[in-house]
Amino acid sequence: MNVCPLCNGLRRVTVYCSYCRQPMEDQGKVTDYFDDYSPYMDADVMKLVDGYLRTYTNHECVHLFYCPTCHEEEVRFIKE
């Protein structure tokens, strides 16, 4: 079983904004924003409908990062 190191607090990463180069904040899994029940669904099942073709087969967790400086959002693939 694969686990996301960010979702499970096993590791921290610093992601820098592509626009202003300031550190971004991890806002969690992209699939958690789909609807009210998404955060409670099985992570592997949600990968099948997250809109990215290879997240399930590549064992990647898609995270949303937010820049508090310039208010940009970026999606990053985190290897499980």
Side-chain angles (χ1 to χ4, degrees), residues 14-17 20-26 65-69:
T14 303
V15 173
Y16 293 96
C17 180
C20 71
R21 303 289 183 221
Q22 295 300 309
M24 300 183 85
E25 299 172 351
D26 181 12
F65 287 86
Y66 171 75
C67 179
T69 304

Side-chain angles (χ1 to χ4, degrees), residues 53-68:
L53 296 176
R54 302 197 193 298
T55 53
Y56 182 77
T57 56
N58 291 346
H59 305 288
E60 296 171 323
C61 188
V62 185
H63 277 252
L64 178 67
F65 287 86
Y66 171 75
C67 179

